[in-house]
Amino acid sequence: MSEWEKNIRKTIPYVPGEQPKVKDVIKLNTNENPYPPSPKVLAKNLDMKSLRLYPDPAASLLVNAIAEYHCVKPGQVFVGVGSDDVIAMSFITFFNSEKEILFPDITYSFYDVWAEMLKIPFKRMPVNSDFRIVKEDYICDNGGIIFPNPNAPTGISEGLDFIEEIVKNNTKSVVIIDEAYVDFGGETALPLIEKYDNLLVVRTFSKSRSMAGIRIGYAIGNEKLIKYLSDIKYSFNSYTMNMPSIILGAESLADDEYFKETVKKVVITREWFTDEVKKLGFTVLPSSANFVFMSHEKAPAEDIFKAAREKRIFVRHFSSDRIKNYLRVTIGTDDEMKVFLEFLKEYLNGYALN
Ligand code: PMP
């Protein structure tokens, strides 16, 4: 290693799901929404000439729209470039003690990447044999807590009492609830933010709002928390939110009817698909998200993953020990899920014959 290399901040990066370059694929691997963004978003005319100007550093149009939507004050809202950006900023801002931060062993695999990169001590708390988060594990001295609710990649969600118990017993640290998938059937922790000044709830436009490509995430919490978060953001980059994101994000929030209709379609497809794969011998964890986590009694998940890929059906497989026999399957349209189901039937028939 050369001398200059010794001083470099080295890190093992997060590996996002594959974005296939080929066309005609069925893409069920990165939890995108199969439906387009709201027609209001699609119809919005953007004044591209104004791209010569810097955008509003406070992204006020979007912040105000989010505040109004959730009935909170604009000072309780922080926006960022996807919830990944919001959570990364939150790690920097809130997890600054010598104590370990806590998150589940089976969870969003970006958390340990941020913790490692920022040299934040952390501890993975094992989920139980049903893949549920064990509440009592989080009631102890710690440097902060983060987990998704519903959890990913399991899809399992916990109720408000469960979350409140954790927040209530951790007044000395910040608790972040990552609600990337909450709209598909979880229970939001937002009602608790007035009561607990150490709770931050993070949301995204990438899943339920069908806008992964535009990169909008946000956090809601006590005004003091948001101020600390903004101070860090302004110490990196004043203009995180670009003009199209600010305008189109606000437009999406103005179309609640379309939003609810799309979410409902995904949920109906999820329930139907779950019933169908169970008939094929799959165990499916109870999902409150726009994906299911499933494992077959005989066929190894990695083999199914590879065979599906050959048929241009992309699902997600994780190689870590406890979940290596599971597939995470994003809920697509009914037609896409029917094709995947047919593939599974054929594959399992062939498997039985061997
Ligand atoms: N949290 C969880 C649990 C996720 O699965 C994802 C999606 N990869 C994110 C946060 C980040 O989503 P985005 O940056 O698109 O808002």
Side-chain angles (χ1 to χ4, degrees):
M1 192 187 293
S2 23
E3 281 303 304
W4 59 264
E5 266 183 290
K6 290 183 186 154
N7 295 327
I8 281 182
R9 186 188 300 275
K10 298 177 195 74
T11 192
I12 301 170
Y14 171 75
V15 184
E18 190 175 353
Q19 297 295 341
K21 300 282 183 291
V22 287
K23 287 217 167 82
D24 304 327
V25 299
I26 295 186
K27 196 171 175 310
L28 310 175
N29 68 334
T30 50
N31 296 344
E32 288 135 333
N33 198 308
Y35 302 106
S38 151
K40 278 190 197 272
V41 172
L42 303 182
K44 186 74 184 172
N45 257 329
L46 295 176
D47 172 19
M48 289 302 185
K49 284 197 193 121
S50 71
L51 285 179
R52 78 187 175 79
L53 299 170
Y54 282 109
D56 170 14
S60 298
L61 179 77
L62 180 59
V63 165
N64 291 343
I66 292 170
E68 197 184 330
Y69 188 83
H70 289 294
C71 303
V72 296
K73 294 183 213 116
Q76 293 176 287
V77 178
F78 175 86
V79 289
V81 187
S83 52
D84 281 342
D85 180 45
V86 174
I87 301 169
M89 291 287 150
S90 302
F91 267 57
I92 298 171
T93 313
F94 303 123
F95 299 159
N96 190 36
S97 86
E98 308 282 295
K99 293 179 188 164
E100 285 166 332
I101 64 161
L102 312 176
F103 47 80
D105 63 337
I106 306 223
T107 196
Y108 187 31
S109 47
F110 223 142
Y111 300 157
D112 49 13
V113 172
W114 286 312
E116 293 272 9
M117 178 183 67
L118 297 165
K119 300 188 166 59
I120 300 167
F122 67 93
K123 194 166 169 192
R124 297 186 185 97
M125 309 311 276
V127 294
N128 71 14
S129 56
D130 294 327
F131 292 101
R132 294 202 96 98
I133 292 172
V134 182
K135 183 176 62 194
E136 290 71 27
D137 286 352
Y138 297 83
I139 302 177
C140 59
D141 203 26
N142 63 70
I145 291 172
I146 181 164
F147 58 85
N149 192 37
N151 196 7
T154 62
I156 297 174
S157 72
E158 301 298 345
L160 200 57
D161 291 350
F162 180 104
I163 304 293
E164 180 159 15
E165 185 99 5
I166 291 177
V167 179
K168 187 166 70 183
N169 285 291
N170 278 291
T171 50
K172 290 187 188 159
S173 58
V174 173
V175 178
I176 303 177
I177 306 296
D178 176 354
E179 294 192 348
Y181 302 101
V182 76
D183 294 322
F184 299 102
E187 195 177 356
T188 180
L190 282 174
L192 300 178
I193 59 158
E194 295 298 337
K195 211 163 151 192
Y196 301 100
D197 60 4
N198 60 324
L199 170 67
L200 191 79
V201 174
V202 179
R203 295 279 190 100
T204 178
F205 278 52
S206 298
K207 323 288 179 183
S208 52
R209 295 198 172 272
S210 306
M211 293 174 79
I214 206 150
R215 313 300 299 128
I216 302 174
Y218 59 98
I220 298 187
N222 176 273
E223 280 171 294
K224 237 184 348 181
L225 281 183
I226 299 301
K227 167 77 169 67
Y228 283 125
L229 200 45
S230 298
D231 287 347
I232 292 291
K233 172 213 131 143
Y234 284 117
S235 308
F236 270 97
N237 178 357
S238 313
Y239 307 106
T240 48
M241 306 307 287
N242 61 53
M243 179 274 277
S245 296
I246 294 171
I247 295 176
L248 298 179
E251 212 58 32
S252 165
L253 289 163
D255 193 355
D256 210 35
E257 200 180 319
Y258 179 83
F259 165 75
K260 291 197 169 118
E261 196 185 299
T262 318
V263 165
K264 195 168 156 196
K265 279 205 282 195
V266 171
V267 170
I268 290 171
T269 306
R270 178 188 73 207
E271 295 308 302
W272 162 79
F273 179 76
T274 301
D275 288 345
E276 291 300 312
V277 288
K278 278 183 178 169
K279 289 181 204 158
L280 301 180
F282 281 94
T283 302
V284 187
L285 301 190
S287 172
S288 303
N290 68 336
F291 57 83
V292 289
F293 205 47
M294 54 190 237
S295 172
H296 194 264
E297 56 197 3
K298 295 200 184 79
E302 192 174 2
D303 295 353
I304 304 177
F305 164 78
K306 284 183 182 156
R309 199 174 180 285
E310 274 175 26
K311 300 275 183 201
R312 296 189 170 217
I313 304 171
F314 289 72
V315 296
R316 191 96 195 247
H317 174 252
F318 301 92
S319 52
S320 69
D321 233 24
R322 286 189 76 182
I323 55 171
K324 63 176 186 248
N325 208 26
Y326 280 80
L327 294 173
R328 192 196 67 188
V329 180
T330 304
I331 301 301
T333 61
D334 281 340
D335 284 349
E336 287 173 324
M337 300 321 278
K338 277 180 198 157
V339 174
F340 183 48
L341 204 58
E342 280 314 305
F343 158 81
L344 288 174
K345 282 181 191 164
E346 258 178 54
Y347 179 82
L348 294 170
N349 271 339
Y351 199 83
L353 296 175
N354 283 328

Short mmCIF file of all heavy atoms in Angstrom, two decimals, residues 135-136 139 147 149 157-169 177 187-189 191-192 195-196:
data_model
loop_
_atom_site.label_atom_id
_atom_site.label_comp_id
_atom_site.label_asym_id
_atom_site.label_seq_id
_atom_site.Cartn_x
_atom_site.Cartn_y
_atom_site.Cartn_z
N LYS A 135 -38.35 -6.27 21.53
CA LYS A 135 -38.44 -4.93 22.14
C LYS A 135 -37.50 -4.75 23.33
O LYS A 135 -36.80 -3.74 23.45
CB LYS A 135 -39.91 -4.75 22.57
CG LYS A 135 -40.27 -3.46 23.16
CD LYS A 135 -41.78 -3.44 23.44
CE LYS A 135 -42.15 -4.52 24.45
NZ LYS A 135 -43.60 -4.78 24.53
N GLU A 136 -37.45 -5.76 24.18
CA GLU A 136 -36.67 -5.66 25.43
C GLU A 136 -35.18 -5.43 25.14
O GLU A 136 -34.47 -4.83 25.95
CB GLU A 136 -36.84 -6.93 26.29
CG GLU A 136 -38.22 -7.09 26.90
CD GLU A 136 -39.31 -7.43 25.87
OE1 GLU A 136 -38.99 -8.03 24.81
OE2 GLU A 136 -40.49 -7.09 26.10
N ILE A 139 -34.14 -1.80 25.35
CA ILE A 139 -34.34 -1.05 26.59
C ILE A 139 -33.08 -1.25 27.44
O ILE A 139 -33.01 -2.14 28.29
CB ILE A 139 -35.66 -1.48 27.27
CG1 ILE A 139 -36.80 -1.22 26.26
CG2 ILE A 139 -35.89 -0.71 28.58
CD1 ILE A 139 -38.18 -1.63 26.68
N PHE A 147 -34.46 1.38 13.42
CA PHE A 147 -34.95 0.21 12.69
C PHE A 147 -36.12 0.63 11.80
O PHE A 147 -36.77 1.64 12.06
CB PHE A 147 -35.32 -0.96 13.61
CG PHE A 147 -36.37 -0.66 14.65
CD1 PHE A 147 -37.72 -0.74 14.36
CD2 PHE A 147 -35.99 -0.30 15.94
CE1 PHE A 147 -38.68 -0.48 15.33
CE2 PHE A 147 -36.94 -0.03 16.92
CZ PHE A 147 -38.30 -0.12 16.61
N ASN A 149 -39.85 0.19 10.32
CA ASN A 149 -41.14 -0.39 10.70
C ASN A 149 -42.15 -0.04 9.61
O ASN A 149 -42.50 1.12 9.48
CB ASN A 149 -41.61 0.18 12.05
CG ASN A 149 -42.78 -0.63 12.60
OD1 ASN A 149 -42.81 -1.85 12.45
ND2 ASN A 149 -43.74 0.04 13.18
N SER A 157 -44.32 -5.81 10.60
CA SER A 157 -44.45 -4.50 11.27
C SER A 157 -44.88 -4.69 12.72
O SER A 157 -45.47 -5.70 13.09
CB SER A 157 -45.45 -3.62 10.53
OG SER A 157 -46.74 -4.08 10.73
N GLU A 158 -44.56 -3.70 13.52
CA GLU A 158 -44.93 -3.69 14.94
C GLU A 158 -45.86 -2.51 15.19
O GLU A 158 -45.82 -1.52 14.47
CB GLU A 158 -43.68 -3.59 15.82
CG GLU A 158 -42.66 -4.71 15.63
CD GLU A 158 -43.19 -6.10 15.99
OE1 GLU A 158 -44.24 -6.20 16.66
OE2 GLU A 158 -42.57 -7.10 15.58
N GLY A 159 -46.68 -2.64 16.24
CA GLY A 159 -47.68 -1.61 16.53
C GLY A 159 -47.11 -0.42 17.29
O GLY A 159 -45.95 -0.41 17.71
N LEU A 160 -47.97 0.58 17.46
CA LEU A 160 -47.56 1.83 18.10
C LEU A 160 -47.11 1.63 19.55
O LEU A 160 -46.17 2.28 20.01
CB LEU A 160 -48.75 2.81 18.02
CG LEU A 160 -48.43 4.28 18.19
CD1 LEU A 160 -47.40 4.74 17.18
CD2 LEU A 160 -49.70 5.11 18.05
N ASP A 161 -47.78 0.73 20.27
CA ASP A 161 -47.41 0.49 21.68
C ASP A 161 -45.98 -0.01 21.78
O ASP A 161 -45.22 0.37 22.68
CB ASP A 161 -48.33 -0.58 22.30
CG ASP A 161 -49.74 -0.06 22.48
OD1 ASP A 161 -49.93 1.16 22.29
OD2 ASP A 161 -50.64 -0.87 22.77
N PHE A 162 -45.63 -0.90 20.85
CA PHE A 162 -44.28 -1.47 20.79
C PHE A 162 -43.25 -0.36 20.60
O PHE A 162 -42.26 -0.28 21.32
CB PHE A 162 -44.25 -2.45 19.60
CG PHE A 162 -42.96 -3.15 19.34
CD1 PHE A 162 -42.80 -4.49 19.70
CD2 PHE A 162 -41.91 -2.51 18.69
CE1 PHE A 162 -41.61 -5.16 19.42
CE2 PHE A 162 -40.72 -3.17 18.42
CZ PHE A 162 -40.56 -4.50 18.78
N ILE A 163 -43.54 0.53 19.65
CA ILE A 163 -42.60 1.63 19.36
C ILE A 163 -42.53 2.58 20.57
O ILE A 163 -41.45 3.00 20.99
CB ILE A 163 -43.07 2.43 18.10
CG1 ILE A 163 -43.25 1.52 16.88
CG2 ILE A 163 -42.10 3.60 17.80
CD1 ILE A 163 -42.00 0.91 16.33
N GLU A 164 -43.70 2.88 21.13
CA GLU A 164 -43.74 3.83 22.25
C GLU A 164 -42.92 3.32 23.43
O GLU A 164 -42.20 4.07 24.08
CB GLU A 164 -45.18 4.13 22.67
CG GLU A 164 -45.22 5.13 23.83
CD GLU A 164 -46.53 5.87 23.98
OE1 GLU A 164 -47.55 5.43 23.39
OE2 GLU A 164 -46.54 6.88 24.72
N GLU A 165 -43.04 2.04 23.68
CA GLU A 165 -42.29 1.43 24.80
C GLU A 165 -40.78 1.66 24.62
O GLU A 165 -40.07 2.00 25.57
CB GLU A 165 -42.61 -0.08 24.80
CG GLU A 165 -42.02 -0.82 25.94
CD GLU A 165 -43.02 -1.05 27.08
OE1 GLU A 165 -44.21 -0.71 26.92
OE2 GLU A 165 -42.56 -1.58 28.10
N ILE A 166 -40.31 1.50 23.39
CA ILE A 166 -38.88 1.69 23.11
C ILE A 166 -38.50 3.16 23.25
O ILE A 166 -37.50 3.51 23.89
CB ILE A 166 -38.52 1.14 21.71
CG1 ILE A 166 -38.63 -0.38 21.71
CG2 ILE A 166 -37.12 1.59 21.29
CD1 ILE A 166 -38.38 -1.06 20.38
N VAL A 167 -39.32 4.05 22.68
CA VAL A 167 -38.99 5.49 22.72
C VAL A 167 -39.03 6.00 24.16
O VAL A 167 -38.12 6.71 24.61
CB VAL A 167 -39.97 6.28 21.83
CG1 VAL A 167 -39.65 7.77 21.87
CG2 VAL A 167 -39.94 5.79 20.39
N LYS A 168 -40.08 5.60 24.87
CA LYS A 168 -40.29 6.04 26.26
C LYS A 168 -39.13 5.66 27.17
O LYS A 168 -38.75 6.41 28.07
CB LYS A 168 -41.59 5.39 26.75
CG LYS A 168 -42.07 5.85 28.08
CD LYS A 168 -43.49 5.40 28.33
CE LYS A 168 -43.58 3.90 28.54
NZ LYS A 168 -44.97 3.43 28.71
N ASN A 169 -38.55 4.49 26.90
CA ASN A 169 -37.46 4.00 27.75
C ASN A 169 -36.07 4.38 27.25
O ASN A 169 -35.07 3.81 27.68
CB ASN A 169 -37.57 2.47 27.88
CG ASN A 169 -38.70 2.08 28.80
OD1 ASN A 169 -38.63 2.32 30.00
ND2 ASN A 169 -39.78 1.56 28.25
N ILE A 177 -37.21 5.85 13.56
CA ILE A 177 -38.06 4.82 12.96
C ILE A 177 -38.12 5.10 11.45
O ILE A 177 -38.59 6.15 11.02
CB ILE A 177 -39.48 4.80 13.57
CG1 ILE A 177 -39.42 4.69 15.11
CG2 ILE A 177 -40.31 3.66 12.97
CD1 ILE A 177 -38.83 3.41 15.66
N GLU A 187 -48.13 0.69 10.98
CA GLU A 187 -48.73 1.72 11.83
C GLU A 187 -47.67 2.80 12.06
O GLU A 187 -46.57 2.49 12.53
CB GLU A 187 -49.16 1.09 13.16
CG GLU A 187 -50.11 1.97 13.93
CD GLU A 187 -50.60 1.30 15.23
OE1 GLU A 187 -50.26 0.12 15.48
OE2 GLU A 187 -51.30 1.98 15.98
N THR A 188 -47.99 4.03 11.74
CA THR A 188 -46.97 5.08 11.83
C THR A 188 -46.73 5.53 13.27
O THR A 188 -47.65 5.53 14.10
CB THR A 188 -47.33 6.31 10.97
OG1 THR A 188 -46.29 7.29 11.12
CG2 THR A 188 -48.65 6.93 11.38
N ALA A 189 -45.48 5.94 13.53
CA ALA A 189 -45.13 6.46 14.85
C ALA A 189 -45.33 7.97 14.92
O ALA A 189 -45.02 8.59 15.94
CB ALA A 189 -43.67 6.09 15.17
N PRO A 191 -47.87 9.89 15.48
CA PRO A 191 -48.61 10.44 16.62
C PRO A 191 -47.76 10.62 17.88
O PRO A 191 -48.16 11.31 18.80
CB PRO A 191 -49.72 9.40 16.87
CG PRO A 191 -49.85 8.64 15.61
CD PRO A 191 -48.49 8.67 14.95
N LEU A 192 -46.58 10.00 17.91
CA LEU A 192 -45.75 10.08 19.12
C LEU A 192 -44.79 11.27 19.12
O LEU A 192 -44.18 11.57 20.14
CB LEU A 192 -44.91 8.79 19.28
CG LEU A 192 -45.67 7.47 19.40
CD1 LEU A 192 -44.69 6.32 19.51
CD2 LEU A 192 -46.61 7.49 20.62
N LYS A 195 -45.15 13.96 21.73
CA LYS A 195 -44.96 13.50 23.09
C LYS A 195 -43.48 13.25 23.42
O LYS A 195 -43.06 13.39 24.57
CB LYS A 195 -45.75 12.18 23.24
CG LYS A 195 -46.29 11.89 24.60
CD LYS A 195 -47.36 10.81 24.49
CE LYS A 195 -47.46 10.00 25.73
NZ LYS A 195 -48.28 8.80 25.53
N TYR A 196 -42.71 12.84 22.42
CA TYR A 196 -41.31 12.46 22.67
C TYR A 196 -40.38 13.27 21.77
O TYR A 196 -40.42 13.15 20.54
CB TYR A 196 -41.11 10.95 22.41
CG TYR A 196 -41.98 10.11 23.30
CD1 TYR A 196 -43.17 9.56 22.81
CD2 TYR A 196 -41.65 9.89 24.63
CE1 TYR A 196 -44.00 8.80 23.63
CE2 TYR A 196 -42.47 9.13 25.45
CZ TYR A 196 -43.64 8.59 24.95
OH TYR A 196 -44.45 7.84 25.77
#
